[in-house]
Amino acid sequence: MNSAVLLSTLLATPDSGSPGFDLGKMMAIIIASIFVNNFVLARFLGICPFLGVSKQLDSAIGMGAAVIFVMTLATLGSWTVYNLLLVPMGLTYLSTIAFILIIASLVQLVEMILQKYSPALYSALGIFLPLITTNCAILGVAVLNIDEKYSLGYSLVNAIAAGIGFTLALILMAGLRQKLELADVPPAMKGKPVAFLVAGIMSIAFLGFAGLGG
Amino acid sequence: MAEMLKVGLILMLVTLVAAMALGLVNSRTAPIIAIQKELAKQKAMTEVSASLSPGDSLAFDSLSVAGLENPYASCDNTLSVVRISVPPDTSRIGYVFIAYGKGYSSTVQTMVAVELDGSISNTTILYQQETPGLGANIVIPSKLIEKFYGLTASEFLLTKDGGGIDAMTGCTITSRTVTNSIRNGLEVMSEAGLFSSVEDSADDTSEPAAEGGTE
Amino acid sequence: MSLIKDLTKGIYHENPVFKLVLGMCPFLAVTTSVENALGMGAAATFVLICSNFLVSLFRNIIPSKVRIPCYIVIIATFVTLVDMVMNAYLPDLHRSLGIFIPLIVVNCIILGRAEGFANRNPVLNSIADAIGMGIGFTLAMVVLASFRELLGNGTWLNFNILGSAYQNQPLLIAILAPGAFILLSFILGFSNILEQRKGGRQ
């Protein structure tokens, strides 16, 4: 396969054969993934880190950055393996196992590289990286991209937008929870229960974005 | 080094065994899945097309009509149309096609039976993953799709978009995607010359040319 | 005796959802109907039992350095198995659980039990633990799903309970995404109150 052909295959939607980007569609994907189908508040992906790392604003930002980073790389890896390896060999039923291995080894690799070459970034993101392997948002975006038959370009756009959506929800939540620390919450609702209540109210707000599509 | 090699080998062995086990199960389940899908499609096709000629057993021939401009990537650019006839007479009595449209949270697939004059005879939702309680109500015929019967492509617009079909309350997106995807399909079929006006439908010698051919 | 204890602890005292707050993603996502909750519960319990069994069986052979990747491969294998079998024999359920079947792989309950229990306990205890945790997870999902389906759609396990008059104007929010968060919040708060009452009495 020469490079021009390879490039056009990568940019094309697997089953339509039409190469390139459609700006309108790209915007639709971005808005849908950040707001309308927000990964945390509408699709329920990545709830564990959403609750676990939203107590402090700083750590929320760090976690968000780490997720966007790994999500993009994982999408690149999973899309390539799926469309250039599993599909031609008729092994698509191995996709779940392949994706989770890609994500796990990617997280490990990123951790090692950061540790060696960028200690500053490592100390900022390092503690969040091991948590990311079991963040279902990462595997979720990989599986969704395949389900939707997105081209590599759209898949990456979707991954970045999903990561931004996750980060947005996380940061909003962290801000609210910092205020909540000072509030007078009934003892039975302290901690997780009130966090879920806040998430529910945020989710109602995000429901309003549904109108954006039409 | 030897330690790493050993660890690597064990990991490889685990993965290999896993892949082999899955391959084995897949070889058993894959044919069943394929048959199930085909059966479900056949069943839907029989049910949806029964309205065209009630009581008769019908014959299905696949046509493939190129050129459906689908704005979404979730289906290919050809429209698969099935020609319906009553054997042994081979003259067509109508068509069935599947419309794909991107809804609120899924690609909604609608199977549509069309009369020869291009009006809708029957529809059924094949697949949807819309919000339960809202968009998912699309599967209840009285909510929306019953309003389609007897309409042709030009009448296929929601009231909000300047047409005459009332959307389901609270779920314009799902209603719109289904309506528009069916209109798209009808327009493609009309351009391919599949529809004839009622008068000349008796004259069936001039079979309209459709790309892809019959099987 | 310890077998029974391992079996029952997952159902109440260490309930994975209400006490440990694990496995939240599928818990919130598939509880739109009791039927989905039961299906997801069965799938997750099956994977949990199989992975706990294998992890416990090979706990002395798997080198500790690569144990997590090994567990992930084992779990992913059984998840794919469930995926394929469900697709072949229960296509409707497979369809409505959708993306959350492959996502059982990253359900923290399963990896958590492999790493936290099966890793250092005998095979029988590990299986008992898996069954208990599986039942606990399923029960918790059924509880939330009952509220959501009843309030949001007027039905329970597809049986019409509240009548068609209610179904025309149901409390729709319960079945939508916010309803899952809010109802779970109240359930957790309620279980805290129960816990405090019990603590106060002792």
Side-chain angles (χ1 to χ4, degrees):
Chain A
M1 207 188 285
N2 69 42
S3 58
V5 175
L6 184 69
L7 192 69
S8 66
T9 354
L10 292 183
L11 287 176
T13 318
D15 58 356
S16 78
S18 61
F21 274 122
D22 172 350
L23 199 65
K25 184 179 164 182
M26 212 168 84
M27 285 313 290
I29 292 178
I30 292 174
I31 289 178
S33 290
I34 299 181
F35 298 112
V36 183
N37 280 322
N38 183 284
F39 258 49
V40 178
L41 298 171
R43 283 198 194 270
F44 300 118
L45 294 170
I47 302 283
C48 294
F50 174 68
L51 288 174
V53 204
S54 59
K55 286 195 185 114
Q56 294 294 325
L57 203 55
D58 298 342
S59 50
I61 295 171
M63 183 66 174
V67 164
I68 296 176
F69 188 56
V70 175
M71 220 176 222
T72 316
L73 285 181
T75 300
L76 186 68
S78 59
W79 193 94
T80 318
V81 166
Y82 186 84
N83 284 293
L84 300 183
L85 200 69
L86 294 180
V87 172
M89 291 172 79
L91 294 173
T92 48
Y93 60 87
L94 289 180
S95 58
T96 310
I97 227 174
F99 290 176
I100 189 72
L101 281 177
I102 290 170
I103 293 167
S105 38
L106 206 71
V107 169
Q108 196 72 201
L109 202 74
V110 168
E111 200 177 342
M112 288 193 303
I113 292 174
L114 280 187
Q115 200 171 10
K116 189 150 190 198
Y117 296 104
S118 175
L121 201 59
Y122 178 75
S123 64
L125 300 185
I127 47 164
F128 305 115
L129 283 169
L131 288 175
I132 285 180
T133 314
T134 51
N135 180 345
C136 54
I138 312 271
L139 185 62
V141 79
V143 175
L144 276 175
N145 282 331
I146 302 298
D147 275 0
E148 292 284 337
K149 299 195 174 73
Y150 283 145
S151 69
L152 182 58
Y154 289 136
S155 294
L156 290 175
V157 168
N158 190 25
I160 295 171
I164 294 174
F166 174 81
T167 311
L168 179 70
L170 195 63
I171 290 175
L172 288 176
M173 186 69 176
L176 286 171
R177 278 181 90 172
Q178 280 188 342
K179 295 245 186 250
L180 219 55
E181 291 288 307
L182 307 170
D184 185 18
V185 180
M189 294 295 277
K190 273 220 164 75
K192 291 263 157 53
V194 77
F196 277 115
L197 197 62
V198 170
I201 294 166
M202 277 167 67
S203 178
I204 295 178
F206 272 69
L207 215 56
F209 288 120
L212 275 183
Chain B
M1 199 60 211
E3 170 72 15
M4 255 178 86
L5 208 68
K6 188 184 151 214
V7 164
L9 270 177
I10 289 179
L11 195 57
M12 210 172 98
L13 196 75
V14 170
T15 321
L16 209 67
V17 171
M20 271 164 55
L22 286 180
L24 201 72
V25 176
N26 182 61
S27 66
R28 288 287 185 81
T29 52
I32 300 175
I33 295 171
I35 291 169
Q36 288 268 12
K37 278 201 174 136
E38 190 52 40
L39 275 180
K41 208 171 152 189
Q42 285 288 342
K43 189 167 164 267
M45 201 130 76
T46 316
E47 280 172 12
V48 81
S49 59
S51 65
L52 290 169
S53 176
D56 286 319
S57 69
L58 303 169
F60 306 111
D61 307 292
S62 304
L63 311 171
S64 182
V65 185
L68 173 63
E69 253 328 297
N70 194 302
Y72 306 106
S74 287
C75 74
D76 52 24
N77 279 335
T78 55
L79 181 70
S80 294
V81 180
V82 174
R83 203 181 69 136
I84 314 290
S85 52
V86 190
D89 183 9
T90 55
S91 61
R92 67 218 151 91
I93 59 160
Y95 303 96
V96 167
F97 73 95
I98 301 174
Y100 298 81
K102 180 103 175 149
Y104 181 64
S105 57
S106 64
T107 300
V108 183
Q109 300 177 17
T110 319
M111 194 178 251
V112 187
V114 195
E115 305 271 4
L116 276 187
D117 61 357
S119 66
I120 301 290
S121 164
N122 199 0
T123 45
T124 180
I125 304 290
L126 285 186
Y127 176 80
Q128 57 82 22
Q129 282 287 304
E130 301 294 282
T131 319
L134 280 175
N137 283 341
I138 188 89
V139 296
I140 303 171
S142 60
K143 294 265 181 186
L144 179 73
I145 53 182
E146 260 177 13
K147 299 173 191 161
F148 294 160
Y149 302 160
L151 301 186
T152 55
S154 56
E155 299 161 290
F156 250 86
L157 262 184
L158 292 183
T159 316
K160 279 190 181 169
D161 300 333
I165 304 174
D166 289 329
M168 293 191 293
T169 17
C171 7
T172 316
I173 298 178
T174 311
S175 309
R176 181 177 287 143
T177 195
V178 171
T179 313
N180 289 356
S181 67
I182 295 177
R183 189 182 62 244
N184 273 358
L186 289 175
E187 280 167 356
V188 170
M189 288 165 74
S190 165
E191 272 166 37
L194 293 180
F195 300 139
S196 46
S197 53
V198 184
E199 304 90 73
D200 59 39
S201 67
D203 171 30
D204 232 11
T205 47
S206 57
E207 182 66 29
E211 286 174 49
T214 60
E215 57 177 54
Chain C
M1 195 57 217
S2 75
L3 262 186
I4 295 171
K5 212 179 140 205
D6 281 334
L7 185 76
T8 52
K9 73 176 186 302
I11 297 170
Y12 185 75
H13 287 290
E14 288 182 30
N15 186 293
V17 176
F18 294 146
K19 294 290 157 66
L20 310 177
V21 198
L22 291 174
M24 279 297 135
C25 304
F27 176 72
L28 292 168
V30 305
T31 44
T32 49
S33 76
V34 177
E35 194 182 353
N36 284 354
L38 288 171
M40 174 50 102
T45 308
F46 173 77
V47 175
L48 197 51
I49 294 171
C50 294
S51 75
N52 256 16
F53 170 68
L54 280 190
V55 167
S56 172
L57 195 64
F58 295 121
R59 67 184 186 281
N60 297 324
I61 302 174
I62 298 175
S64 68
K65 262 188 190 160
V66 287
R67 65 179 195 286
I68 300 286
C70 284
Y71 299 162
I72 290 177
V73 171
I74 291 172
I75 294 168
T77 309
F78 286 114
V79 170
T80 314
L81 210 108
V82 168
D83 192 9
M84 293 192 292
V85 171
M86 209 182 243
N87 196 357
Y89 297 104
L90 298 164
D92 290 336
L93 185 63
H94 182 263
R95 216 183 246 187
S96 64
L97 294 179
I99 184 182
F100 283 92
I101 298 175
L103 290 185
I104 298 175
V105 177
V106 280
N107 186 327
C108 2
I109 297 176
I110 298 174
L111 194 63
R113 291 331 281 176
E115 168 75 3
F117 193 91
N119 190 18
R120 51 181 89 113
N121 281 292
V123 174
L124 277 181
N125 293 62
S126 299
I127 292 178
D129 176 72
I131 296 174
M133 286 291 161
I135 293 174
F137 182 52
T138 313
L139 277 181
M141 278 197 294
V142 169
V143 168
L144 183 61
S146 301
F147 280 113
R148 289 183 74 188
E149 194 183 333
L150 202 61
L151 292 175
N153 202 28
T155 58
W156 192 81
L157 202 57
N158 297 336
F159 290 115
N160 193 339
I161 303 283
L162 297 180
S164 53
Y166 182 81
Q167 275 183 326
N168 287 335
Q169 284 296 334
L171 189 63
L172 204 52
I173 192 93
I175 218 165
L176 298 178
F181 286 115
I182 294 171
L183 284 170
L184 175 62
S185 151
F186 288 150
I187 293 174
L188 287 178
F190 188 67
S191 100
N192 280 348
I193 291 176
L194 284 185
E195 202 72 353
Q196 282 166 356
R197 285 257 169 89
K198 219 163 51 177
R201 223 179 292 145
Q202 274 164 3

